[in-house]
Amino acid sequence: MNSVQETVRQILDDIKQQGLSKALEYTEQFDGVRLEPDQVLVDVASLPDPSLNPDQKEAIDFAASQIRQFHQATKPSSTEVDPVPGLHLEERLVPLNRVGIYVPNGQYPLVSSLLMSAIPAQVAGVNDLIAAIAPRSPLESNPLWVYALKVTGIRTVLRLGGAQAIAIMGYGFDGFPPVDLIAGPGNQFVAQAKQELFRQSVVGIDVIAGPSEVLVITGEIDEKQAEVAALDLLAQAEHAPDAHAYFVSWNALAIKTVQNMVAQWTTDHQGILGQIDWITVDSPEEAVRFANQVAPEHLGLIGQDAESLAEGIKTAGALFVGWLAGQALGDYVAGPSHVLPTGGTGRFLGGLSTRTFMRRMSVIATDDDLPEAFLRAGQVLASLEGLKFHEQSLRTRLIRKASQGISQ
């Protein structure tokens, strides 16, 4: 067990045993903010309408509209099947009742993460949405947060961050029932806390998220394509020191050109950047094989040679095709959620969508016309498995059906 796991498990155990008071102690320790119990929950409806810069308001409205439109169009629906007379089947999609949205609130307000997590839940039909936002400053003092919260239909804000916010959403406290699922990105402590509570069957989670990733593939490219490829690499690398970017090409000139572009853009850069790997492959086919093996969070195809490979990409969290389709477009305004699987989990997981906030429930309904073949076949299979009462339950139904003179 590493130090992050140990720390998170200690936090979760303490809050499970001692409740909100311990969460407030951790908040003072980690965030430097002392909160009283009655300051932890904020009713969004009670917040005054914010005075917002028109450009900011327009941008939030535009992004929210695009996100909502995409998720309304892709929301799945329940399915009904009547395979034979007497048997009615359904796959019923039921929205979760209560969902917690974790929103990072560090140096900058990540309003986009609130939009990308909460709007799909709202479209899915979730009845009760809660946002956990670390208490860096009074909520009402940040009009961006207030406006975005009202746009997304959030009812309540939990003024906690980090693993302590995850613990409180998972375990609940007096007057605050636990949530059914926690969604949204966060740092390694947040990600570990979500996974631990999921492992304990306390709460559902959206994706297994880790450090941000991008993989960009190009063949022959021109100057504008090389420049945006370099910026896509840097856009992910600037997330954190552990972010990872890959540039993959079979074209030596493309690699050299993009490397020069990266060097130019970072000449005066003072911040920390994650790692960029330069991968030379022998062919487009090898580039696709490498990409599908890595299963990156974001995968960009830039230039005609690379864009033609789109059908072969199977494991990316999100695929971006064309020089205008950069990851930043997907992060803010394209529509699909930017909460995506990382660390190779794209091989078996997809990104956040309305499906994240709905559960599938099978419905099996019968009437007296149900063919006896179903009961007989089930009875035989139960006998083969040695499950006595399974077999008897089917045998009894068959006998009772026959005694009523109902047979096929």
Side-chain angles (χ1 to χ4, degrees), residues 32-105:
V33 177
R34 180 190 290 271
L35 293 176
E36 297 300 322
D38 62 357
Q39 296 176 311
V40 172
L41 298 179
V42 176
D43 179 4
V44 175
S46 70
L47 297 173
D49 290 336
S51 176
L52 205 62
N53 178 301
D55 289 342
Q56 294 174 335
K57 180 179 182 296
E58 183 179 350
I60 291 174
D61 288 345
F62 181 86
S65 175
Q66 296 304 307
I67 296 165
R68 185 170 286 109
Q69 180 179 341
F70 174 81
H71 289 288
Q72 286 173 337
T74 57
K75 178 183 174 181
S77 57
S78 299
T79 303
E80 299 185 12
V81 181
D82 295 295
V84 295
L87 181 61
H88 175 79
L89 306 175
E90 293 182 36
E91 180 183 69
R92 188 175 295 174
L93 296 175
V94 183
L96 301 180
N97 182 58
R98 185 170 165 84
V99 166
I101 303 295
Y102 186 87
V103 191
N105 185 28

Side-chain angles (χ1 to χ4, degrees), residues 178-198:
V179 301
D180 301 316
L181 180 139
I182 300 173
N187 63 21
Q188 58 184 333
F189 294 94
V190 169
Q192 183 62 44
K194 287 169 65 177
Q195 291 183 58
E196 181 62 24
L197 290 189
F198 178 75

